[in-house]
């Protein structure tokens, strides 16, 4: 479970995240959507323990990401938009290294062949990470997230640059993880994907939450796509956050 309470993150004079509160329950896929500069990546990076929140609290499975980082991170996987990988390890070495870091060598041993097969990386297992294409790096990052038994999964634009078969496989992977009880957040600009895949939607703009709930609630009985509703709700509220007073 991921619990975010009144999260604020400022960069010098920009209030990039301005009081976000939400909870992601086990077995739930939630879409984090918003215009460019809305604060999605900043919020994700705070949840992943990469950025220190200015104020507010973030708990991963009940463990505070600032006060109890090791425990919190043991249940967390974060796949950034541009995965940062160890370029001079081979695919197999890298997967094993991640498992060693998280103490899940048993998962590596039992799942490595299946995971590399599933993402069509078996033939690349002895190749350096530096030689992988952009899409292969994305798929490999998802495999890394799955090798350490995380149950809070954060994906920042996970489907960009991946071929159609890969997109279908990764979407299926999200559904599998959901079925296993994971709490999943996907930040995306692909609103048709969010519409089909997500149980709930969070709409942020200028660092603030404009809506959270199911698509049905957002529709309020209207016949409308998520794209139409998104444009309606964010109209006049786009752009960078206001500078701090
Ligand atoms: P996009 O959809 O374009 O990826 P986003 O919703 O992920 O955008 P963020 O990257 O979180 O938005 O940026 C939110 C705000 O914080 C923007 O105004 C951005 O310019 C600012 N910002 C982000 N990173 C920094 C930084 N390191 N230093 C200063 N300002 C930053």
């Amino acid at each position: 479970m991921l619990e975010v309470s009144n999260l604020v993150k400022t960069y010098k004079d920009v209030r990039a995240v301005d009081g976000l509160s939400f909870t992601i329950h086990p077995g739930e896929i939630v879409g984090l959507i918003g215009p460019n500069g809305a604060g999605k990546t900043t919020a994700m990076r705070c949840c992943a323990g990469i950025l220190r929140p200015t104020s507010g609290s973030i708990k991963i499975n009940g463990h505070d990401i600032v006060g109890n980082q090791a425990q919190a991170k043991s249940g967390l996987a974060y796949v950034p938009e541009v995965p940062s990988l160890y370029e001079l390890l081979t695919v197999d070495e890298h997967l094993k290294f991640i498992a060693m870091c998280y103490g899940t060598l048993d998962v590596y041993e039992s799942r490595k062949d299946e995971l590399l097969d599933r993402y069509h990386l078996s033939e690349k297992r002895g190749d350096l990470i530096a030689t992988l294409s952009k899409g292969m790096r994305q798929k490999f990052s998802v495999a890394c997230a799955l090798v350490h038994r995380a149950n809070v999964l954060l994906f920042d634009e996970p489907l960009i640059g991946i071929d159609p078969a890969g997109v279908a496989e990764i979407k299926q992977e999200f559904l599998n993880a959901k079925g296993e009880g994971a709490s999943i957040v996907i930040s995306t600009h692909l609103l048709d994907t969010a519409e089909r895949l997500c149980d709930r939607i969070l709409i942020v703009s200028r660092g603030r939450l404009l809506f959270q709930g199911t698509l049905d609630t957002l529709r309020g009985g209207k016949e409308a796509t998520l794209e139409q509703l998104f444009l309606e709700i964010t109209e006049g509220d786009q752009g960078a956050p206001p500078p701090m007073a």
Side-chain angles (χ1 to χ4, degrees):
M1 175 143 79
L2 169 65
E3 296 162 281
V4 175
S5 178
N6 210 14
L7 175 65
V8 173
K9 176 65 191 176
T10 59
Y11 299 107
K12 281 194 181 160
D13 54 350
V14 175
R15 206 169 168 90
V17 175
D18 191 6
L20 288 189
S21 296
F22 57 86
T23 297
I24 315 294
H25 299 100
E28 189 176 47
I29 303 180
V30 173
L32 178 60
I33 64 177
N36 290 131
K40 303 178 297 294
T41 297
T42 301
M44 292 281 244
R45 288 168 67 87
C46 289
C47 291
I50 296 168
L51 289 176
R52 199 181 179 92
T54 303
S55 62
S57 92
I58 298 167
K59 288 186 179 166
I60 313 283
N61 299 321
H63 305 293
D64 190 273
I65 193 71
V66 177
N68 198 353
Q69 192 158 134
Q71 285 272 27
K73 283 191 171 176
S74 69
L76 174 82
Y78 170 58
V79 180
E81 190 173 350
V82 179
S84 68
L85 301 168
Y86 297 99
E87 306 288 328
L88 297 181
L89 292 180
T90 66
V91 166
D92 190 46
E93 285 168 348
H94 197 301
L95 200 60
K96 187 171 183 181
F97 176 65
I98 297 293
M100 286 168 76
C101 291
Y102 284 93
T104 56
L105 273 173
D106 57 325
V107 183
Y108 164 79
E109 290 301 343
S110 62
R111 293 197 69 184
K112 64 180 179 207
D113 294 337
E114 168 217 331
L115 286 174
L116 293 178
D117 258 6
R118 188 186 296 179
Y119 298 116
H120 311 293
L121 289 166
S122 293
E123 284 176 16
K124 299 273 179 189
R125 66 192 316 144
D127 294 358
L128 293 182
I129 294 291
T131 68
L132 297 185
S133 73
K134 184 178 169 202
M136 287 172 187
R137 296 166 77 91
Q138 274 289 4
K139 291 183 204 173
F140 180 68
S141 299
V142 180
C144 287
L146 297 174
V147 87
H148 79 80
R149 261 199 216 110
N151 64 1
V152 174
L153 309 178
L154 310 176
F155 294 95
D156 199 350
E157 287 291 359
L159 303 174
I160 300 296
I162 298 187
D163 61 35
V167 166
E169 284 157 11
I170 289 177
K171 282 186 191 166
Q172 187 54 50
E173 210 50 64
F174 293 151
L175 294 172
N176 292 347
K178 168 183 158 155
E180 288 168 21
S183 308
I184 305 165
V185 184
I186 301 170
S187 166
T188 184
H189 290 298
L190 305 176
L191 299 187
D192 51 341
T193 298
E195 186 166 354
R196 284 198 298 273
L197 199 62
C198 298
D199 302 298
R200 277 194 301 131
I201 302 289
L202 305 178
I203 301 180
V204 292
S205 184
R206 294 156 74 91
R208 293 186 301 270
L209 202 54
L210 298 185
F211 171 82
Q212 65 171 317
T214 64
L215 198 57
D216 279 349
T217 309
L218 183 60
R219 282 197 183 105
K222 278 195 276 184
E223 279 281 316
T225 63
L226 178 56
E227 183 178 67
Q228 289 163 335
L229 296 163
F230 174 83
L231 292 174
E232 208 174 284
I233 206 169
T234 56
E235 197 186 6
D237 197 48
Q238 302 216 12
M244 288 167 63

